[in-house]
Amino acid sequence: MRVLVAEDDAKLRSHLTKALREAGHAVDDTGDGEEALWLLGEHAYDAAVFDISLPGRDGVSVTRTARSRGCTTPILLATARGELKDKVGGLDAGADDYMVKPFSTEEMLARLRAIMRRQRPEMSMVLQVEDLELDLRSRTARRGGEEITLTNREFALLEVLAEASPRSVSKTSLVERVWDQHFDSGTNVLNVYINYLRRKIDTAGKEPLIHTVRGVGYFVGRKPQ
Amino acid sequence: MTLRLRLAVLFGALLLVLSGLFVVSVQGHLVREATAQQRGGAQTPDENLQTATKKLTALWLAAGIPVMGLCFLLGFLIASRSVRHLRQLNEQLAALQPETLGNRITEPDKDPEVAELVRQINALLGRVGRSYDELSEFSARVAHELRTPLTLLRMRVEESATHLPPDFSEELQEEIRRLSRLVERSLATARAQGGRLPVNVTTIDLSALLASLREDYEALAGTKDIALRWDVPAGLTVSADKDLLSQIMHNLLDNAVRYGSGSVQVRAAPRKGDLVEIEVINEMSSDKRTAQGAGIGLRLVKAFVGTMPATEFSSQHDDARFTALLVCPAHAAAQAVSPVRGGVAGKDIWISAQGRGTFQNSPAVAQFVAEKAKAGAKSLAVDLRDCRNADSTFLGTLAACGTRMRRAGGELFFVGADPIMRRLLADYGLLTIASENTPPPDPSRSALRDLPLDASFEAKRRSVLEAHEALAALTPENAERFRGALEFLKHRVPED
């Protein structure tokens, strides 16, 4: 996938670019709004990540102009402005999603995957990790063909882990994506829910799929030998 | 000794001294008369004169104490009357909060000395308000600016996590998360206190909202060996902003579990006066007694509560437990038609809105103001001290009335608007037509009467249309906001 990144903070831009490249994407980057608009017109990108505060032309204006020119590339706006009117303004201009700083690498990647999935319905709505299957439409989980009953919270947690697999997901990212943003003590209950999941997924006789990476977070998949 | 008492004593003493001087001067005069008579050949002073002098002295001495008491009482009454204006000013000043610094003090009377004092206080309030706004804006900007470096910091730590000692890495990530939350909360507090938080009051199923939080807090309480007791009946509904109420409950529950020990009780129940109360009670361990209640969580709760109409929060703690009490208006209470009062004082029309200004009480306001303006009233003062919320029709009605008064050379004043009302007035552009002069003095209570709320359906519909037309004419934002609604209202069939 080819992704365009426009962010005026050079350090942050470099990290966003690096994270996207490590996730297997080809990335073009710029720190200027006019250049972003020009690049968007010149190349066929699979997705774009724009900061709102860009010199030259702000991210919302780039998005609006690109849409008026018929550009259908999924656009993710990243900004420090988190008020409702800013979000509505960004989405009304034609952005596909809106991400408020500070965000994690995993959150950005997950949002990009989600908007690309919406753009391209042919992308699978079933996540598979080894013999574990998650059907995102029916919100059901199976392991080895056997249905597993999960609560909404457990399914959401497993979905985030499975979507990122085989990458690890930090505790902070998990909490932010699974729990209400105002639930301040998420990291304290995360272990509780990981244990619930382990009891249901990694049952006796089956290879454990949910792993703790100390200092990093959790991942779902076969443990590297 | 209070000023009133000092003035009374001074007045009493002054009158006593004056009467004493009068008696002494009369005595002196009588003595001089007697001496003159002696020099003129009389053998002895007139006995009548001597008797009169003695009687006068005895009378003054005997009546002195009651006279002094009477003088003191008279002095006290005169002093009380003189400082009445100061007391009224004091009450208005005491009612000012950081969120209501935009309000101005009204003149209790036309006394030039008091008027000058009011002008100076209002000018001072203007300066303080501007400083407070700048400070609040600065806090918001700082929090805002911290977001980009926090993103960078977080990405770098996540990227380096595998190269760092696991415990250190987890600690760093947790601290960055805490810092991010702190920034968010500071920003939210600054916005709420500055009246910049969007508030959308709707009907909320409180029982369902609390139930949605239960699972997470039970899991959290379980990690700390705390028993969570839940006493929330089904079917409780309140009028509040859902997101803000949810954040308030998150903060109260988090606070209770974080600082509590033993057990935490969550209780919700209807209360007299069409209210619903929600109590979160936790037992406290001795080492956390001073910490609870001082954190940013409760400050945020107070700031949020201040933005929602008719919602109140209080907390109390003793040695063993901490109780947080939130009181919200029940849904039914918010739907009742609120009374509105009107009156004329001199050339000023007064409208006093109670509770909620809505499309239901707007026609009465429009009709009353139109009648009184026709009869020669020059300005419109809208008393919002008891008004907790208003819909667009009510605000539009005020806009229409205010615009007409201004066209006729009059003025529009808003008095005593709380932060919610002030924000509504600003959002809908009404402050652009409000006068910046000092509002007219408050009318006497008897000058106001309840306005009839018996407008017909047709009158209400006409009032809704006129109100929204007036709002649309105020600002381009309003014109855009109400374009669809106006189209709909204009073409609505009468049978609708």
Side-chain angles (χ1 to χ4, degrees), chain B residues 397-420:
Chain B
T397 301
L398 298 183
C401 296
T403 305
R404 275 198 288 272
M405 298 299 290
R406 277 163 58 94
R407 278 192 198 131
E411 289 178 291
L412 169 68
F413 298 96
F414 293 110
V415 179
D418 70 7
I420 295 163

Side-chain angles (χ1 to χ4, degrees), chain B residues 157-177:
Chain B
V157 170
E158 284 180 358
E159 187 187 304
S160 322
T162 48
H163 310 298
L164 297 171
D167 290 346
F168 177 58
S169 167
E170 282 191 7
E171 195 183 329
L172 263 183
Q173 291 185 48
E174 180 58 20
E175 289 308 315
I176 292 171
R177 190 190 67 81

Side-chain angles (χ1 to χ4, degrees), chain A residues 7 9 11-12 15-16 18-19 22 79-84 100-106 108 151 153 170-173 175-176 179-189 192-193 196 213-216, chain B residues 144-152 154-156 158-159 161-162 164-167 169-170 173-174 177 180-181 184-185 187 191 196 198 212-213 215-217 219-221 223 243 246-247 250-251 254 258:
Chain A
E7 161 66 59
D9 187 297
K11 281 186 184 171
L12 185 56
H15 277 273
L16 289 172
K18 191 176 170 207
E22 281 176 1
T79 177
R81 295 182 206 159
E83 287 186 48
L84 185 65
V100 180
K101 294 174 183 175
F103 52 81
S104 69
T105 308
E106 187 47 48
M108 179 188 65
T151 65
R153 186 82 72 212
S170 71
K171 288 182 178 179
T172 311
S173 290
V175 168
E176 281 174 356
W179 272 272
D180 183 323
Q181 58 168 322
H182 307 302
F183 184 50
D184 204 23
S185 301
T187 45
N188 296 335
V189 296
V192 176
Y193 279 88
Y196 292 163
V213 186
R214 285 195 64 220
V216 178
Chain B
H144 190 259
E145 289 296 322
L146 279 170
R147 282 174 161 172
T148 297
L150 271 172
T151 307
L152 182 64
R154 187 169 161 179
M155 286 184 134
R156 291 204 71 161
E158 284 180 358
E159 187 187 304
T162 48
L164 297 171
D167 290 346
S169 167
E170 282 191 7
Q173 291 185 48
E174 180 58 20
R177 190 190 67 81
S180 302
R181 289 286 298 144
E184 293 309 314
R185 286 171 157 204
L187 192 57
R191 277 188 193 141
R196 294 189 299 276
S212 72
L213 306 178
E215 182 188 347
D216 289 334
Y217 286 96
L220 181 64
T223 64
D243 187 51
S246 168
Q247 287 194 58
H250 268 297
N251 277 289
D254 188 77
R258 189 185 299 261

Side-chain angles (χ1 to χ4, degrees), chain B residues 263-325:
Chain B
S263 76
V264 169
Q265 188 185 358
V266 181
R267 194 185 66 79
R271 181 167 146 171
K272 264 187 188 171
D274 289 326
L275 299 168
V276 172
E277 63 178 25
I278 311 154
E279 245 181 343
V280 181
I281 306 165
N282 65 271
E283 293 170 8
M284 285 191 293
S285 57
S286 56
D287 57 324
K288 290 179 176 173
R289 271 172 205 162
T290 49
Q292 189 167 15
I296 194 166
L298 284 186
R299 202 169 303 168
L300 188 66
V301 167
K302 285 173 190 162
F304 282 173
V305 165
T307 67
M308 284 199 290
T311 307
E312 286 174 16
F313 172 75
S314 61
S315 64
Q316 59 175 28
H317 61 92
D318 53 32
D319 284 346
R321 62 190 207 161
F322 184 91
T323 305
L325 176 66

Side-chain angles (χ1 to χ4, degrees), chain A residues 64-190:
Chain A
R64 189 178 291 115
T65 311
R67 292 294 185 237
S68 70
R69 291 176 185 173
C71 170
T72 56
T73 303
I75 295 173
L76 173 58
L77 287 177
T79 177
R81 295 182 206 159
E83 287 186 48
L84 185 65
K85 64 177 182 191
D86 298 319
K87 290 180 189 171
V88 172
L91 295 173
D92 278 350
D96 294 83
D97 201 358
Y98 194 98
M99 191 166 54
V100 180
K101 294 174 183 175
F103 52 81
S104 69
T105 308
E106 187 47 48
E107 183 185 356
M108 179 188 65
L109 293 175
R111 284 181 185 269
L112 274 177
R113 281 194 295 271
I115 60 173
M116 284 194 274
R117 198 160 44 227
R118 283 204 294 273
Q119 185 85 354
R120 298 161 61 183
E122 72 274 14
M123 279 177 79
S124 176
M125 288 301 283
V126 176
L127 295 174
Q128 180 143 16
V129 181
E130 301 300 328
D131 61 345
L132 176 68
E133 269 184 18
L134 295 185
D135 187 327
L136 304 183
R137 278 198 197 90
S138 61
R139 311 288 292 172
T140 52
R142 289 173 182 277
R143 183 156 188 202
E146 226 173 89
E147 188 161 336
I148 305 161
T149 308
L150 298 175
T151 65
N152 285 340
R153 186 82 72 212
E154 289 163 353
F155 187 90
L157 184 56
L158 193 58
E159 181 187 348
V160 174
L161 288 167
E163 203 175 37
S165 177
R167 293 164 59 97
S168 304
V169 187
S170 71
K171 288 182 178 179
T172 311
S173 290
L174 282 171
V175 168
E176 281 174 356
R177 295 192 56 206
V178 175
W179 272 272
D180 183 323
Q181 58 168 322
H182 307 302
F183 184 50
D184 204 23
S185 301
T187 45
N188 296 335
V189 296
L190 181 60

Side-chain angles (χ1 to χ4, degrees), chain B residues 453-471:
Chain B
L453 301 173
D454 54 358
S456 65
F457 177 77
E458 192 54 43
K460 280 181 188 167
R461 194 174 55 193
R462 209 169 39 246
S463 153
V464 172
L465 176 63
E466 285 170 5
H468 286 83
E469 281 175 338
L471 282 178

